[in-house]
Amino acid sequence: MDLTLDEQRLIAEYRRLTATGRDDLLAYAAALLRQAGTETNGENDTATNQCRLKSAEPHPEAEKTPFFTE
């Protein structure tokens, strides 16, 4: 697995943490995830940090009717 230099630094810093520090970090990450989950479940479901996917292109090979090529 190829990691960037920043990712390698994060892993090294995480490994240097004590057990209490790891627990604190994981608890903080869990709190951030819960907070993000409550924000997306609100009345206004428009997310500003997401991009729209392009509309699906027609794929003749996915149709149920057979197609023929010469």
Side-chain angles (χ1 to χ4, degrees):
M1 176 171 42
D2 295 330
L3 298 175
T4 64
L5 187 59
D6 290 334
E7 292 168 337
Q8 291 175 7
R9 287 180 183 158
L10 285 173
I11 291 171
E13 290 295 324
Y14 180 78
R15 289 179 178 164
R16 287 186 196 129
L17 290 175
T18 62
T20 305
R22 289 181 186 178
D23 291 342
D24 291 343
L25 181 63
L26 292 175
Y28 181 70
L32 288 176
L33 284 174
R34 279 193 299 273
Q35 180 183 5
T38 57
E39 289 176 359
T40 58
N41 291 337
E43 295 175 6
N44 190 4
D45 288 337
T46 58
T48 57
N49 62 347
Q50 296 180 358
C51 64
R52 296 197 178 268
L53 297 175
K54 294 180 182 179
S55 61
E57 298 176 3
H59 298 286
E61 65 273 8
E63 295 178 3
K64 292 186 178 182
T65 59
F67 64 97
F68 300 96
T69 59
E70 293 184 25

